[in-house]
Every structure is written in C-alpha cells, then in structure tokens.
Amino acid sequence: MFPTSERLRREWTGFRRAGRLIAMAAAALAVVVLGLLHASGNHASCDGPCPAEPTGPDGALVNDQFSFLHRPMGTDGSITVRLTSMTGTLTYPPPRHDRIVPGLVPWAKAGIIIKDGVRPGSSYAALMVTGSHGVRMQYDYRHDIAGGGAGVADGAPRWLRLTRSGNAVTGHESADGKAWTEVGTVLLPGLPETVRVGLFATSPGDLTLRRTGLGGATEQVRWTQAGGTFDHVALRGAAAGGWSDDGVGERNRTDWERNHLASGAVERNGTITVTGTGDIGPAGAEDGARPVESVLGGVAAALLVVLVVAVRYATGGRREASGGGAEGAGAPVTRARLGARAVVVAAVTFATALPALAVVVPFGTAVLKDNGIPVIGVSALTGARVVVGTAAVLALAAVLALALGSLLRRARYAVPVAVLAIAVPYVVTSFPLLPDGLAQWLLRVTPAAGFAVRQTLVEHPQVVAHYAPSAGYLPLPWWAGAAVLCAYTAVFLGLALKRLPAATDGRGVGGRGSGGPAVMRW
C-alpha cells in the first residue's frame, strides 16, 4: 500500500486533466464576474447626492426618523406623561389600493424618549405604546424590552415615565399614574451631560405580501403615519424655556404631509399631539440596504460546475481490468483511494473558491457603496465566516457529489441526483417562487442548508420585514446549516466507502485471479 502522501499525489495527478482545471477556473471566474456585474448594476436614485445612511452607536446601519418635541435635560431628571390616545393613517392598504384609511400598523410608536441630540443614529432610550404590541422600552436601535400588553384605548390612557441617573435610564408605566411598574433599566455608555428629552411619534411602513410564482410572495411597503395625544406632562431636571419641535431624519416630504396632515407637534387646550412617520430601529434589506452576501450570486453557477466535475471525477475512470494490483489509473477503487479522491476534490474546490470569494466580497460591496447603495456592515469575523464558510460548503458539496457518483456509478444518474439534492433547493429558494413555509423546510432538510453560512441578515422581532428565504432570511443559523450538510456528506461518503473493498490482493477486486471473468474498475 502506498503512503497516504503518495496516494494523494497520484489522485491529484489523475484529477488535473485540462478539462477539469478549466472547469474549476470557470467556476471561480463566475463567482467574481457575476458578483461584480450584480454590484455594478445596482444604483441609488436620489435628487442630488444621496444622503449618508445613519449609523448607530455600534456603527451599524439604523433607521432613525420620527417627530420629536424636546428640550434639554441634565445628568439627573425625569419626564412623566399620560398618553390618552393614538391615531394613524394607512395609505392604500390591501385589499383595495385606492383608498387612504385610518389605522395603526402593529409597530407604530408614540411615547417619551431621552436622546443624545437630534442627530440620526445617536444613542437613545425610549418608552412607548405601540399599535399592537403594548408598552415597550427600546434603546440604541437593536434592543427591545416588553412591558405591559395593554395599549391605549378610549377611557384607558397609559402613563409613562423615563428617569435618567447618569448613564442609566429607567422606564416605568402605570394605568392610573399612582401605581407604577418598572419596565426596565438600561445603560447608555457615553451619554453626554446634556441630552434632549421629550415626546415622539413615528410609524414604519405597512408591509403586505403579493402572491407570485407557485405560492411565493413579494413585498409591498406603504407609507403610514401615527400620532399620540399627551397631557399631564411633568419634567424634572430639564432646562427652563420652551419646547423645540424637530424632525429626526426626513419629515413632511410626502404629498399627504404637505397637503393634509403635517408631521410635528401641536399644543392645544393643555394637550400635545405629536404626529410622525418612519421608524427607530436597525436597518435591514427591507429598507433598501444590501447584505454582503448579495454579491455572491455567482455561487450558484459555481456550484453547478463543481457538482458536475466531482461526479465525473468519481465515474469517469471506469475501465476493464487487465490484472495487476498497482494503484495506477486503471487500478480498482478501494476505500483508501476513494478517501484520497475525496480529499483531493475538497482541497481543489476550496482552494479554487476561496480566492474568488475573497475578491468578490470586498470589491463587490465597495462597488455597491460607490453606487450609493447602503451595505449592512458586518464584523471582520462574520466577513471571514462568509468567505471561508462558503468555500468550505462548496468543498463539502463536491465531496457529497463524489460520493453520489461512486454509489450510482453512472454520471447520467449521479449528476441529476446531485443537482436536485443540492443546487435546486439552493437556487429556487433564492427567489419568490415557492411558499415561504416550503422554502424554509427545503433549507432545513436538504444539503442546501449548508449555505446558511453565507447569511448575515439578523431577524429583529420589533422590525417589520418579510422573514423568508427569498428575502435573504434563512431558517437555520449558520452552524446548524453547516451541520446538516456535513451529516449528508458523512453518511453518503460512508455508504460509498462501505461498498468498496478495503484493499486489493494484487489480482483484482474481490480477489479474482487473472483467469477469472473481467471486472469493472473505477
């Protein structure tokens, strides 16, 4: 038996035929070219230069747009209000899209907020009543604490209180202004001595889904507006003087706001009504931003090439035996030899894909940003996981295809099986073709689950979005998806190894002598 290193060298020599090498180079080129073409074909359209997207305290893209009636407050103080009602407007809601009707979306918000100025993206803590999710305390865009489930209704107002003590902000709620319940206490590192405190209102878009394909769905988002009416406003630790009415982010640019009901604050007969539109929270793909994996469109083409090459590598060396036991090109395939082939095909695929991915991710995202498209930032560790993990998944898919080729023995059988099991679920779930539930199950139970390693989008329950594979939200975390693909690869490679002889006896497969009937060799 040859040493392992010698066997690997022989299998690499057998693999490196011109056709295979050209195919692998074409797969890498597809990753780069298709990714960069996709990035260069996306452009933002703005009246003049596109404004910079706001980023939160952690540097991540955020939404920060609302109406804000505010005044200065020092390091210790509080604001207490009674919210007596919430109203809203929905523009062109389903099923009819030709009417403007009253109503609140589930995450419409009205309440009180302490914020580091009026700059979009600055640190904040807010206590609010929502359209359908009761009282919530939210801070620094990503964090949400549930309070009482009751909202605001006629005859059932809600009292809210925020208290600042240095960098700590505590929220309380009450039904009657006497018995208070703490919602939560949060820390806002780096909060300046003087902050802005006051009343706010905002309302995210109304998300509806339009059926398409074989049951898939595309998103439609409609502009909405919400307003809260407050009284019994009490301040402690705030500077003397009047209120300032500002819009954080854009305000009063729609025809509805200009011609019917402007966003802002109105004080009348001891009550204050604040009306606004927008959202306060993390930004995502639903807001027009792109995740880094959006430049990996060429991976599907590369996957098809890799699967075909791996299957043909497993099935292309069959020939009649001519006796002898040397492990040359015509030698029988043993377990050790198939194991060496698996190592070779995995190593070649990984080494081919890794540089292509390492090029397209940074350059593709740079092109998107130059074209005015915001890109959802990720940490260096997450970016490395996308690049290295996707290359590793392609390598595992190649080994799985090799095992299928070894089991089925014929490329005309093994190629369709490999494509249907790995490539088809990955491709069809990337588009709004199948029902969301079916798409999610395909990405849980098929080898295509492994491509969860490329996902960077995070699901935030307090953000209105279409959390489906076609929108980039996969059902498994990256490590679980990788585990599914590893399990498939291990099982089928194990089956392929089990049906092969452990070694040859120098006379052919199964110990037949040269005078016996001819046997097929791989």
Side-chain angles (χ1 to χ4, degrees), residues 486-508:
C486 286
Y488 271 104
T489 304
V491 168
F492 281 94
L493 184 59
L495 291 174
L497 291 170
K498 185 177 180 180
R499 64 176 297 276
L500 292 174
T504 61
D505 61 2
R507 296 175 296 167

PDB file of all heavy atoms in Angstrom, residues 486-508:
ATOM      1  N   CYS A 486     -22.804  18.650   6.536  1.00  0.00           N
ATOM      2  CA  CYS A 486     -21.768  17.712   6.994  1.00  0.00           C
ATOM      3  C   CYS A 486     -22.359  16.326   7.231  1.00  0.00           C
ATOM      4  O   CYS A 486     -21.726  15.308   6.901  1.00  0.00           O
ATOM      5  CB  CYS A 486     -21.122  18.234   8.273  1.00  0.00           C
ATOM      6  SG  CYS A 486     -19.994  19.617   8.035  1.00  0.00           S
ATOM      7  N   ALA A 487     -23.568  16.281   7.802  1.00  0.00           N
ATOM      8  CA  ALA A 487     -24.192  14.985   8.075  1.00  0.00           C
ATOM      9  C   ALA A 487     -24.487  14.247   6.776  1.00  0.00           C
ATOM     10  O   ALA A 487     -24.213  13.038   6.662  1.00  0.00           O
ATOM     11  CB  ALA A 487     -25.476  15.196   8.883  1.00  0.00           C
ATOM     12  N   TYR A 488     -25.051  14.938   5.792  1.00  0.00           N
ATOM     13  CA  TYR A 488     -25.313  14.301   4.495  1.00  0.00           C
ATOM     14  C   TYR A 488     -24.012  13.793   3.877  1.00  0.00           C
ATOM     15  O   TYR A 488     -23.947  12.665   3.364  1.00  0.00           O
ATOM     16  CB  TYR A 488     -25.973  15.292   3.543  1.00  0.00           C
ATOM     17  CG  TYR A 488     -27.484  15.326   3.621  1.00  0.00           C
ATOM     18  CD1 TYR A 488     -28.134  16.357   4.267  1.00  0.00           C
ATOM     19  CD2 TYR A 488     -28.254  14.327   3.030  1.00  0.00           C
ATOM     20  CE1 TYR A 488     -29.524  16.407   4.331  1.00  0.00           C
ATOM     21  CE2 TYR A 488     -29.640  14.365   3.079  1.00  0.00           C
ATOM     22  CZ  TYR A 488     -30.271  15.406   3.735  1.00  0.00           C
ATOM     23  OH  TYR A 488     -31.637  15.425   3.794  1.00  0.00           O
ATOM     24  N   THR A 489     -22.984  14.622   3.908  1.00  0.00           N
ATOM     25  CA  THR A 489     -21.712  14.234   3.296  1.00  0.00           C
ATOM     26  C   THR A 489     -21.118  13.020   3.996  1.00  0.00           C
ATOM     27  O   THR A 489     -20.643  12.075   3.348  1.00  0.00           O
ATOM     28  CB  THR A 489     -20.734  15.413   3.344  1.00  0.00           C
ATOM     29  OG1 THR A 489     -21.326  16.546   2.702  1.00  0.00           O
ATOM     30  CG2 THR A 489     -19.435  15.077   2.639  1.00  0.00           C
ATOM     31  N   ALA A 490     -21.150  13.024   5.325  1.00  0.00           N
ATOM     32  CA  ALA A 490     -20.585  11.907   6.080  1.00  0.00           C
ATOM     33  C   ALA A 490     -21.351  10.614   5.812  1.00  0.00           C
ATOM     34  O   ALA A 490     -20.755   9.547   5.627  1.00  0.00           O
ATOM     35  CB  ALA A 490     -20.588  12.233   7.572  1.00  0.00           C
ATOM     36  N   VAL A 491     -22.691  10.694   5.767  1.00  0.00           N
ATOM     37  CA  VAL A 491     -23.497   9.489   5.558  1.00  0.00           C
ATOM     38  C   VAL A 491     -23.247   8.890   4.176  1.00  0.00           C
ATOM     39  O   VAL A 491     -22.985   7.686   4.038  1.00  0.00           O
ATOM     40  CB  VAL A 491     -24.993   9.811   5.754  1.00  0.00           C
ATOM     41  CG1 VAL A 491     -25.870   8.656   5.247  1.00  0.00           C
ATOM     42  CG2 VAL A 491     -25.287  10.081   7.226  1.00  0.00           C
ATOM     43  N   PHE A 492     -23.308   9.708   3.133  1.00  0.00           N
ATOM     44  CA  PHE A 492     -23.174   9.165   1.783  1.00  0.00           C
ATOM     45  C   PHE A 492     -21.739   8.776   1.471  1.00  0.00           C
ATOM     46  O   PHE A 492     -21.505   7.789   0.755  1.00  0.00           O
ATOM     47  CB  PHE A 492     -23.723  10.158   0.758  1.00  0.00           C
ATOM     48  CG  PHE A 492     -25.220  10.140   0.678  1.00  0.00           C
ATOM     49  CD1 PHE A 492     -25.981  11.023   1.428  1.00  0.00           C
ATOM     50  CD2 PHE A 492     -25.875   9.218  -0.128  1.00  0.00           C
ATOM     51  CE1 PHE A 492     -27.364  10.999   1.377  1.00  0.00           C
ATOM     52  CE2 PHE A 492     -27.258   9.188  -0.194  1.00  0.00           C
ATOM     53  CZ  PHE A 492     -28.006  10.071   0.565  1.00  0.00           C
ATOM     54  N   LEU A 493     -20.778   9.496   1.993  1.00  0.00           N
ATOM     55  CA  LEU A 493     -19.397   9.074   1.804  1.00  0.00           C
ATOM     56  C   LEU A 493     -19.144   7.772   2.556  1.00  0.00           C
ATOM     57  O   LEU A 493     -18.442   6.876   2.050  1.00  0.00           O
ATOM     58  CB  LEU A 493     -18.435  10.161   2.278  1.00  0.00           C
ATOM     59  CG  LEU A 493     -16.945   9.887   2.042  1.00  0.00           C
ATOM     60  CD1 LEU A 493     -16.648   9.687   0.558  1.00  0.00           C
ATOM     61  CD2 LEU A 493     -16.091  11.024   2.604  1.00  0.00           C
ATOM     62  N   GLY A 494     -19.744   7.644   3.739  1.00  0.00           N
ATOM     63  CA  GLY A 494     -19.616   6.391   4.473  1.00  0.00           C
ATOM     64  C   GLY A 494     -20.222   5.216   3.726  1.00  0.00           C
ATOM     65  O   GLY A 494     -19.636   4.119   3.689  1.00  0.00           O
ATOM     66  N   LEU A 495     -21.400   5.431   3.116  1.00  0.00           N
ATOM     67  CA  LEU A 495     -22.024   4.363   2.331  1.00  0.00           C
ATOM     68  C   LEU A 495     -21.155   3.988   1.127  1.00  0.00           C
ATOM     69  O   LEU A 495     -21.018   2.807   0.791  1.00  0.00           O
ATOM     70  CB  LEU A 495     -23.413   4.806   1.859  1.00  0.00           C
ATOM     71  CG  LEU A 495     -24.477   4.954   2.942  1.00  0.00           C
ATOM     72  CD1 LEU A 495     -25.754   5.546   2.353  1.00  0.00           C
ATOM     73  CD2 LEU A 495     -24.770   3.618   3.612  1.00  0.00           C
ATOM     74  N   ALA A 496     -20.600   5.007   0.479  1.00  0.00           N
ATOM     75  CA  ALA A 496     -19.747   4.721  -0.679  1.00  0.00           C
ATOM     76  C   ALA A 496     -18.493   3.960  -0.263  1.00  0.00           C
ATOM     77  O   ALA A 496     -18.056   3.037  -0.961  1.00  0.00           O
ATOM     78  CB  ALA A 496     -19.370   6.038  -1.368  1.00  0.00           C
ATOM     79  N   LEU A 497     -17.907   4.325   0.862  1.00  0.00           N
ATOM     80  CA  LEU A 497     -16.712   3.618   1.333  1.00  0.00           C
ATOM     81  C   LEU A 497     -17.039   2.184   1.743  1.00  0.00           C
ATOM     82  O   LEU A 497     -16.252   1.264   1.507  1.00  0.00           O
ATOM     83  CB  LEU A 497     -16.094   4.378   2.509  1.00  0.00           C
ATOM     84  CG  LEU A 497     -15.450   5.732   2.187  1.00  0.00           C
ATOM     85  CD1 LEU A 497     -15.103   6.472   3.460  1.00  0.00           C
ATOM     86  CD2 LEU A 497     -14.196   5.539   1.333  1.00  0.00           C
ATOM     87  N   LYS A 498     -18.201   2.001   2.335  1.00  0.00           N
ATOM     88  CA  LYS A 498     -18.572   0.675   2.846  1.00  0.00           C
ATOM     89  C   LYS A 498     -18.697  -0.350   1.723  1.00  0.00           C
ATOM     90  O   LYS A 498     -18.368  -1.526   1.896  1.00  0.00           O
ATOM     91  CB  LYS A 498     -19.873   0.777   3.626  1.00  0.00           C
ATOM     92  CG  LYS A 498     -20.286  -0.527   4.298  1.00  0.00           C
ATOM     93  CD  LYS A 498     -21.544  -0.331   5.123  1.00  0.00           C
ATOM     94  CE  LYS A 498     -21.951  -1.640   5.798  1.00  0.00           C
ATOM     95  NZ  LYS A 498     -23.190  -1.475   6.612  1.00  0.00           N
ATOM     96  N   ARG A 499     -19.164   0.076   0.561  1.00  0.00           N
ATOM     97  CA  ARG A 499     -19.380  -0.869  -0.526  1.00  0.00           C
ATOM     98  C   ARG A 499     -18.115  -1.166  -1.323  1.00  0.00           C
ATOM     99  O   ARG A 499     -18.124  -1.983  -2.230  1.00  0.00           O
ATOM    100  CB  ARG A 499     -20.466  -0.362  -1.477  1.00  0.00           C
ATOM    101  CG  ARG A 499     -20.110   0.916  -2.206  1.00  0.00           C
ATOM    102  CD  ARG A 499     -21.179   1.311  -3.205  1.00  0.00           C
ATOM    103  NE  ARG A 499     -21.310   0.307  -4.227  1.00  0.00           N
ATOM    104  CZ  ARG A 499     -20.534   0.239  -5.326  1.00  0.00           C
ATOM    105  NH1 ARG A 499     -19.569   1.124  -5.489  1.00  0.00           N
ATOM    106  NH2 ARG A 499     -20.735  -0.700  -6.228  1.00  0.00           N
ATOM    107  N   LEU A 500     -17.015  -0.508  -0.973  1.00  0.00           N
ATOM    108  CA  LEU A 500     -15.742  -0.742  -1.659  1.00  0.00           C
ATOM    109  C   LEU A 500     -14.870  -1.680  -0.835  1.00  0.00           C
ATOM    110  O   LEU A 500     -14.981  -1.729   0.398  1.00  0.00           O
ATOM    111  CB  LEU A 500     -15.009   0.587  -1.870  1.00  0.00           C
ATOM    112  CG  LEU A 500     -15.649   1.576  -2.846  1.00  0.00           C
ATOM    113  CD1 LEU A 500     -14.886   2.885  -2.831  1.00  0.00           C
ATOM    114  CD2 LEU A 500     -15.709   0.994  -4.253  1.00  0.00           C
ATOM    115  N   PRO A 501     -13.959  -2.413  -1.482  1.00  0.00           N
ATOM    116  CA  PRO A 501     -13.029  -3.260  -0.728  1.00  0.00           C
ATOM    117  C   PRO A 501     -12.037  -2.412   0.047  1.00  0.00           C
ATOM    118  O   PRO A 501     -11.688  -1.299  -0.353  1.00  0.00           O
ATOM    119  CB  PRO A 501     -12.338  -4.077  -1.816  1.00  0.00           C
ATOM    120  CG  PRO A 501     -12.420  -3.221  -3.040  1.00  0.00           C
ATOM    121  CD  PRO A 501     -13.752  -2.514  -2.947  1.00  0.00           C
ATOM    122  N   ALA A 502     -11.586  -2.949   1.184  1.00  0.00           N
ATOM    123  CA  ALA A 502     -10.607  -2.228   1.989  1.00  0.00           C
ATOM    124  C   ALA A 502      -9.275  -2.118   1.263  1.00  0.00           C
ATOM    125  O   ALA A 502      -8.543  -1.142   1.412  1.00  0.00           O
ATOM    126  CB  ALA A 502     -10.422  -2.921   3.332  1.00  0.00           C
ATOM    127  N   ALA A 503      -8.932  -3.165   0.472  1.00  0.00           N
ATOM    128  CA  ALA A 503      -7.660  -3.167  -0.261  1.00  0.00           C
ATOM    129  C   ALA A 503      -7.756  -4.193  -1.366  1.00  0.00           C
ATOM    130  O   ALA A 503      -8.675  -5.020  -1.412  1.00  0.00           O
ATOM    131  CB  ALA A 503      -6.493  -3.490   0.679  1.00  0.00           C
ATOM    132  N   THR A 504      -6.812  -4.164  -2.299  1.00  0.00           N
ATOM    133  CA  THR A 504      -6.752  -5.169  -3.354  1.00  0.00           C
ATOM    134  C   THR A 504      -5.744  -6.234  -2.967  1.00  0.00           C
ATOM    135  O   THR A 504      -4.818  -6.000  -2.177  1.00  0.00           O
ATOM    136  CB  THR A 504      -6.345  -4.539  -4.696  1.00  0.00           C
ATOM    137  OG1 THR A 504      -5.042  -3.972  -4.532  1.00  0.00           O
ATOM    138  CG2 THR A 504      -7.330  -3.469  -5.110  1.00  0.00           C
ATOM    139  N   ASP A 505      -5.898  -7.418  -3.529  1.00  0.00           N
ATOM    140  CA  ASP A 505      -4.966  -8.507  -3.233  1.00  0.00           C
ATOM    141  C   ASP A 505      -3.956  -8.729  -4.352  1.00  0.00           C
ATOM    142  O   ASP A 505      -3.304  -9.764  -4.440  1.00  0.00           O
ATOM    143  CB  ASP A 505      -5.726  -9.808  -2.971  1.00  0.00           C
ATOM    144  CG  ASP A 505      -6.546 -10.249  -4.175  1.00  0.00           C
ATOM    145  OD1 ASP A 505      -6.487  -9.546  -5.215  1.00  0.00           O
ATOM    146  OD2 ASP A 505      -7.229 -11.279  -4.084  1.00  0.00           O
ATOM    147  N   GLY A 506      -3.877  -7.770  -5.261  1.00  0.00           N
ATOM    148  CA  GLY A 506      -2.918  -7.896  -6.356  1.00  0.00           C
ATOM    149  C   GLY A 506      -3.473  -8.618  -7.555  1.00  0.00           C
ATOM    150  O   GLY A 506      -2.833  -8.717  -8.578  1.00  0.00           O
ATOM    151  N   ARG A 507      -4.670  -9.153  -7.496  1.00  0.00           N
ATOM    152  CA  ARG A 507      -5.254  -9.882  -8.625  1.00  0.00           C
ATOM    153  C   ARG A 507      -6.544  -9.242  -9.122  1.00  0.00           C
ATOM    154  O   ARG A 507      -7.165  -9.722 -10.029  1.00  0.00           O
ATOM    155  CB  ARG A 507      -5.533 -11.329  -8.217  1.00  0.00           C
ATOM    156  CG  ARG A 507      -4.291 -12.111  -7.883  1.00  0.00           C
ATOM    157  CD  ARG A 507      -4.664 -13.485  -7.376  1.00  0.00           C
ATOM    158  NE  ARG A 507      -5.402 -13.387  -6.128  1.00  0.00           N
ATOM    159  CZ  ARG A 507      -6.068 -14.425  -5.585  1.00  0.00           C
ATOM    160  NH1 ARG A 507      -6.119 -15.582  -6.218  1.00  0.00           N
ATOM    161  NH2 ARG A 507      -6.682 -14.278  -4.427  1.00  0.00           N
ATOM    162  N   GLY A 508      -6.987  -8.179  -8.469  1.00  0.00           N
ATOM    163  CA  GLY A 508      -8.218  -7.536  -8.901  1.00  0.00           C
ATOM    164  C   GLY A 508      -9.163  -7.387  -7.749  1.00  0.00           C
ATOM    165  O   GLY A 508      -8.897  -7.800  -6.629  1.00  0.00           O
TER     166      GLY A 508
END
